[in-house]
Amino acid sequence: MRVVGRRALALAIVLGSWLPGTGRSQQVDNAALGPRLSLETVVARTLAYSPGVTGALGAVRDAAALRRVALGAYLPSLSLISSAAWSDQTTLGTAGVTPGLSPAGGMNTYGAGFAAALDVFTGGHRGAQRSYAEAITQAADAGLVQQRYSTMLLAKQGYFEVVRAHELVRVALESVAQAELGLGYARDRLAAGTATRADVLLSQLAVSTARRRALAARDTLGTAGATLGRLVGANEPVDAEPLAALDPAPLALGDSGVLAAAPAAAPAVAQAQALASAGAAGVRASKSQYLPTIAVGAGYNWANESRVPGALRSGWVVAFTTSFPLFNGFVREASVTQAEAAAELATATSADTKRLARAEAQQLLGRLHVAEQDITLTCEAVRLAGEDLRVIQARYRAGIATILDVLTSQTALTQAELDLVSARFTYQVARASLEALLGRDL
């Protein structure tokens, strides 16, 4: 009667373990992982501490400065000038000194003034430089968007790695519980004389294997927590708050919309197009060296009445200058060739980036849909494997099935749950990768 009571209790445990929510009753001590962060917090902190985002912001500031320089080329340059000199020398042959002017003071010079200069014609160089600066600004803006979403993808991958590791620990602990329950059945049958010592030994081996799997899952969780801590700028591992649902959700765009948006609005495509425009502007700027440059300058000088030959005198100055290099050792030709080669490369890269964006969108959509179907199939596989294990355990207790049947069912259930965890993780990462490619939330 005692054996029957133990079997009834074991059967109740088996049936109860498959009720909704009871399979997650074994929790892991997460105190060592540090604070729990939500997905939004992880993304925000990763963006704040990312060196890549910092570099992209610096590129945007550099582009803005380049744009100001291009606009400043249309404005005159202003400068203040001053000079002063003292000397105890005198001029030979001087019979006298001008009234009111000492000999010593006549050799001292000092003065001040201002000057302005403006390029009137540069052969289109300023316009080309302005177009180049505008294109570089657009490329920097697109690069910032691309870097932000790439960093968000990295943050989401780190977050889902921790969530995945938690699921692996849960599956491992459930596997340990099932193996220990099977060991109890084997011992009961050995005590009743309906099983051999080999049944107990195989069950003990299954328990040992399950515990090793749980140990590896805990190690994976610790590693994922440390990696996530580095991403969010923490000096310790951090944990991830579990999501309310990991199941697939509809995209904001359909497949046709995603395939149309990828080659048209992806940040990588926009950046490549802007760089192609910058290359074309660079060609125009290099060819402007074949045209003359005309500049006008004006200024006013104030100075003392000095007797030093060549000393500065007070008055206005207006000057026009023209520069037209006829030959400079093929430097112009080399710069034009280099600019044209860079422009051709940028144009080819832009066209290839469009094709690559569409191909990646197609690939990610396929991976997303496969993951959706895989989740549905693995959920059914988990349900069927759980039911199979329940039946096999009942048959084993009745002496109909063997311990190998029980172990096979336990392994099938564990593998089905691991496949479900992998399918959910693949889906979430594919969705985040698609968002990073398009530069928008889906």
Side-chain angles (χ1 to χ4, degrees):
M1 294 296 295
R2 183 175 301 176
V3 175
V4 174
R6 291 175 61 184
R7 291 180 176 177
L9 177 60
L11 180 59
I13 294 175
V14 174
L15 294 177
S17 65
W18 295 108
L19 292 176
T22 57
R24 300 173 183 264
S25 60
Q26 301 187 46
Q27 299 294 334
V28 182
D29 184 12
N30 299 320
L33 290 178
R36 279 193 167 188
L37 303 180
S38 64
L39 178 58
E40 293 76 12
T41 303
V42 168
V43 171
R45 291 185 57 173
T46 303
L47 289 173
Y49 288 97
S50 171
V53 173
T54 302
L57 289 172
V60 170
R61 293 196 299 270
D62 290 343
L66 181 63
R67 186 179 181 184
R68 289 193 298 269
V69 171
L71 292 175
Y74 290 90
L75 302 176
S77 60
L78 302 175
S79 60
L80 294 175
I81 56 176
S82 64
S83 63
W86 294 267
S87 174
D88 60 353
Q89 297 177 344
T90 58
T91 304
L92 296 177
T94 302
V97 178
T98 303
L101 182 64
S102 65
M107 301 306 294
N108 298 336
T109 62
Y110 54 89
F114 70 90
L118 176 65
D119 290 333
V120 179
F121 178 74
T122 61
H125 182 77
R126 288 180 298 185
Q129 287 297 109
R130 185 176 180 182
S131 299
Y132 178 83
E134 293 286 348
I136 291 298
T137 300
Q138 295 175 4
D141 292 338
L144 176 59
V145 175
Q146 182 183 20
Q147 183 60 52
R148 283 181 59 85
Y149 274 91
S150 297
T151 304
M152 290 170 63
L153 172 60
L154 187 64
K156 291 178 180 179
Q157 286 177 330
Y159 173 87
F160 286 122
E161 280 287 355
V162 176
V163 174
R164 173 176 173 268
H166 273 292
E167 290 295 304
L168 294 178
V169 171
R170 176 187 63 80
V171 172
L173 292 179
E174 290 180 355
S175 176
V176 170
Q178 292 296 337
E180 291 176 345
L181 190 59
L183 177 59
Y185 292 157
R187 287 172 175 171
D188 288 344
R189 288 193 56 185
L190 179 62
T194 59
T196 64
R197 179 65 178 168
D199 288 13
V200 176
L201 294 176
L202 287 175
S203 298
Q204 289 176 337
L205 178 60
V207 171
S208 177
T209 302
R211 288 175 178 172
R212 289 176 56 199
R213 187 182 297 114
L215 183 63
R218 287 192 178 96
D219 179 68
T220 301
L221 178 58
T223 302
T227 302
L228 185 60
R230 182 190 69 84
L231 290 177
V232 300
N235 295 324
E236 59 181 359
V238 298
D239 199 2
E241 290 184 358
L243 291 176
L246 291 173
D247 294 329
L251 297 175
L253 294 176
D255 290 3
S256 59
V258 170
L259 295 178
V269 173
Q271 185 181 36
Q273 289 176 338
L275 292 177
S277 300
V283 172
R284 295 197 303 272
S286 62
K287 289 183 177 181
S288 66
Q289 299 177 78
Y290 289 97
L291 299 176
T293 300
I294 302 175
V296 60
Y300 180 82
N301 298 319
W302 175 86
N304 69 324
E305 294 295 333
S306 175
R307 299 175 60 188
V308 177
L312 189 67
R313 294 293 185 267
S314 300
W316 290 95
V317 177
V318 177
F320 284 89
T321 59
T322 301
S323 176
F324 189 20
L326 299 178
F327 179 73
N328 60 353
F330 303 107
V331 174
R332 290 178 298 186
E333 288 73 11
S335 63
V336 170
T337 301
Q338 293 173 357
E340 289 177 342
E344 291 173 359
L345 177 60
T347 302
T349 302
S350 176
D352 182 70
T353 303
K354 289 183 178 181
R355 295 190 296 267
L356 179 61
R358 182 178 179 84
E360 288 185 347
Q362 186 72 50
Q363 179 183 1
L364 290 173
L365 279 176
R367 187 184 305 171
L368 194 70
H369 294 325
V370 169
E372 290 175 348
Q373 299 175 13
D374 196 17
I375 290 174
T376 302
L377 295 175
T378 51
C379 283
E380 180 66 12
V382 169
R383 187 188 68 81
L384 294 176
E387 180 64 19
D388 175 69
L389 179 59
R390 184 187 67 80
V391 173
I392 291 298
Q393 286 176 334
R395 289 169 58 85
Y396 179 73
R397 292 180 56 214
I400 302 175
T402 65
I403 189 63
L404 293 178
D405 295 332
V406 176
L407 296 179
T408 301
S409 295
Q410 290 177 351
T411 302
L413 175 59
T414 300
Q415 187 60 49
E417 291 190 329
L418 291 176
D419 291 341
L420 178 58
V421 172
S422 178
R424 285 173 171 169
F425 177 76
T426 300
Y427 171 81
Q428 295 295 339
V429 172
R431 188 183 182 106
S433 300
L434 194 59
E435 292 176 344
L437 174 65
L438 298 180
R440 55 171 296 178
D441 296 332
L442 294 176

